[in-house]
Amino acid sequence: KAACASLTPDYMVPVYACQRRTPLQHPNRLFTDALEILSENAEFFESEGRSLAFYKASSVMKALPIRLTSTVDLCGLPCIGEHSQRVIKEILEDGVSSEVEGVLQSERYQAMKVLTSIFGVGVKTADRWYREGIRNFGDILSSGQKLTKEQEAGVKYFKDLSSPVTEEEANSITDTVRKAVASIDTRAKVTITGGFRRGKQRGHDVDLLITHPEEGKEAGLLAQIITILDSQGLLLYYKTKENTYTAPREPPVKPHSTLDRFERCFSVFKLSLPPFRGSQEPVSLSTPLDKTCIATDWKAVRVDLVVSPCSQYAYALLGWTGSQHFERELRRFAGSEKQMALNSHALYDRKQNEFLSASTEEEIFAHLGLPFIPPHERNA
Ligand code: TTP
Ligand code: MN
Ligand code: MN
Ligand code: MN
C-alpha cells in the first residue's frame, strides 16, 4: 500500500465489469487463466464467494491494456485481493503458480472438470457422483447411474459436444433456423447471441434469440419451429420450457436472479458437415471411409433457442449476449449504484417506481447511466 501511494497508475480500471471494455484478446492470459482455474476449483467446492473473488480479479486483468510485469503494476487496481495478488506474484517470479499446478494435478479438479462438462450435469450432480467414486466418463456408464434424459443425451453425444463449435458451424445452424422461421413467418427475426455475438470464434453452444416485430406474434412460434426442425431430422434431443413471465404489476422481488422466464428450447442439433471437415483435401485412397460418406458425416451441437416478445427484446439481447460475469456485474451495478433492478426482461427503477422501457441495448446503458459497451468488449 505504501509503495502504491506515490504511484499514479497509467490506466484506470473501474470497479464494475460493466463499466469496462473487455476485449477477447488481452496481454495477461497467463495470469487470468491461472486465476480462472482457482475460480473454477472453488466453484467445484461450492464456495461461491471465493470463486467470484478469483473471477473478479481475473476480469480486472482482462481489461488491462498492457502486460503486467511487476506487482507494482497492481497498484490502484480494484478487486484484486491478497490471495490473487499472491498468485500473480508467484507467476511473475516463477512463471507458474504452485497452487494452480496443485489444483490441475488434483484428482478432484480433474474429475469435476470432466463430469461438469457433460450436458445436463451441474456441480451438484458431479459432486455427488464424485463422492460415489465416479472419476471419469467411463465410470458413469459402468456404475449404472440413473440419468436424466438430458444427461443421457450429454453422455451419448459427449465426444461431439466436447469439441468446440466453430463460427462457421454456428452460422450454418443459424441459417437453418432462419429458414425454418421464415417458412412460418417472414417477419420473425433470429439473432445470434452468446459468445459468438461477442466475437468469439469458438463456443460451447449456439445461442439464438427469436422475436417478432408485432407484440404477441412471437407466441407459438417456437413450437412450430421445433416441429419443422424435428421433421427434418435435425433435433437429436430437445426440451422446451414455457414462458412464465407475465407483465409485472409489482417491482421484481429477486433482482439478482440469473434465470429468466422466456419460452425456450435447450437442444442438441444434428449438424451435417461437408464431407471433408474444413479441409480442402481431395479424396484419395488414404481418406478414411467414414469421411467419404456424406450421409453419416454430421456432428452434434448444443443449441439454445429463446423467444422474446419485441417489448422485451433489447433486455433479452443484452441478457443473452453475456459474458455471464458482465451480466452479473450489470445487475449488481443497477442494484447497488442506481437502485434499479435489471433482468433479461426489464429494468425497474426503485426510486421512480417505474419500469424503464428500451428498444435498443444503447437505451438500457443510458438508463443505467453507463457508457455503451459494444458486444465485442463484453468479454469480462
Ligand atoms: P452461455 O451459452 O452459457 O455462454 P456463452 O455463450 O457466453 O459462452 P460459450 O461460448 O461457452 O457458449 O450463455 C450465454 C448467455 O446466456 C449468458 O450470458 C447467460 C445467458 N443465459 C441466461 O440469460 N439465462 C439462462 O437461463 C441461461 C442458461 C443463459
Ligand atoms: Mn453460448
Ligand atoms: Mn465474428
Ligand atoms: Mn447457451
Side-chain angles (χ1 to χ4, degrees), residues 6-7 57 59 61 65 81 115 138 172 192 225 272 284 293 329 333 365:
S6 61
L7 288 163
S59 184
M61 297 204 69
L115 299 179
S172 160
I192 190 154
I225 296 167
S272 334
S284 74
C293 179
E329 291 281 280
F333 178 85
F365 280 86

Side-chain angles (χ1 to χ4, degrees), residues 165 193-198 200 202-207 241 258-262 264 266 302 304 306 316 318-327 331 344 379:
V165 182
T193 64
F196 288 108
R197 185 162 182 257
R198 300 197 308 277
K200 279 177 69 175
R202 264 138 221 277
H204 99 282
D205 68 354
V206 183
D207 303 290
K241 265 180 61 189
T258 49
L259 285 175
D260 62 63
R261 315 173 82 186
F262 292 116
R264 75 188 53 195
F266 297 112
R302 274 271 301 111
D304 287 337
V306 192
L318 179 61
W320 276 83
T321 297
S323 69
Q324 246 187 71
H325 186 60
F326 191 91
E327 303 298 331
R331 291 188 296 268
S344 294
N379 290 292

